[in-house]
Amino acid sequence: MTHTQLIAIAGGIGSGKSVVSRILRAMGYHVYDSDARAKTIMDGSCAIKKFLVEEIHPSAVDAGGRIDRAIVAGVVFSDSAALARLNGAVHAAVRADLRAWRDSHAAGAPLFVECAILCESGLAGEVDAVWEVAAPEALRVARVCGRNGLSPAQVQARIDAQRAEMEAIGALMRSIVVNDGEQPMLPQVELLLEALSAASLSAE
């Protein structure tokens, strides 16, 4: 079977990963949204719900089978060990789901996965290349404040919490998409797609 390339769209909060994803979808490419899929997997997985009740909190799942994310967050964000256990369970399920998604597509055009925690989740080991979306930190803070209604201090805290992840991404071979509000993004994406196509042709 011909190998279908899987490209990660990575970057810190407010960098513009979703913008690149929208551009690619508009061009006809398939993009796997790892955050959205993680939520869907959690909501539909009996194994993860069982894990939440037994390992996180007895009331983490209500009588109707719905996850009480407020209770889960209240536990894991004050208990690093619990957070690590939860992440381990969810990340493993997302990796398996991504492989199935990749295999469901016919060989040909590259596939993309948008991921906020590429290295921490283990998805870095699933991809063939990484596109990092980059933007000045002050602009990222302003974007997230406007989008989510958070204070600058709250956004900065989230950026600071991602430092280790961003350093890990920085150690990977990657291409950069600059989203600084000045350089157009579409031409950058088109150039990267052309490079993928050229590399694929030379490998044949």
Side-chain angles (χ1 to χ4, degrees):
M1 180 181 292
T2 304
H3 179 71
T4 301
Q5 283 189 302
L6 180 61
I7 315 300
I9 304 167
I13 185 172
S15 60
K17 297 183 295 298
S18 61
V19 176
V20 173
S21 294
R22 286 197 295 271
I23 290 172
L24 290 166
R25 289 192 181 99
M27 297 173 78
Y29 291 94
H30 297 285
V31 183
Y32 180 99
D33 184 334
S34 60
D35 284 350
R37 284 300 300 161
K39 292 176 183 176
T40 299
I41 290 167
M42 287 181 68
D43 288 336
S45 171
C46 293
I48 289 179
K49 289 179 182 179
K50 182 174 183 288
F51 169 86
L52 290 173
V53 171
E54 294 180 352
E55 300 288 333
I56 302 300
H57 194 283
S59 300
V61 180
D62 67 20
R66 292 178 295 272
I67 296 172
D68 189 324
R69 286 185 161 79
I71 289 178
V72 173
V75 173
V76 300
F77 289 118
S78 60
D79 183 340
S80 59
L83 178 60
R85 292 196 303 273
L86 175 60
N87 283 343
V90 175
H91 293 164
V94 171
R95 289 195 299 272
D97 187 66
L98 176 62
R99 292 182 197 122
W101 178 84
R102 183 181 194 174
D103 292 343
S104 72
H105 289 83
L111 301 171
F112 296 86
V113 51
E114 179 184 338
C115 185
I117 47 174
L118 179 67
C119 297
E120 179 186 330
S121 66
L123 291 181
E126 305 290 331
V127 303
D128 301 294
V130 178
W131 292 4
E132 181 186 352
V133 187
E137 196 165 287
L139 181 56
R140 292 168 58 199
V141 171
R143 284 173 180 161
V144 180
C145 286
R147 180 183 73 199
N148 294 1
L150 299 175
S151 70
Q154 288 174 313
V155 179
Q156 190 62 55
R158 297 189 181 194
I159 289 175
D160 291 342
Q162 291 182 330
R163 297 289 182 197
E165 172 71 20
M166 298 313 301
E167 288 174 4
I169 290 174
L172 301 173
M173 292 293 294
R174 71 216 193 279
S175 301
I176 305 294
V177 179
V178 178
N179 182 22
D180 59 2
E182 298 180 6
Q183 302 182 55
M185 296 182 73
L186 178 58
Q188 297 179 69
V189 171
E190 290 175 331
L191 283 174
L192 289 175
L193 289 170
E194 289 173 9
L196 284 178
S197 179
S200 178
L201 289 172
S202 65
E204 293 179 357

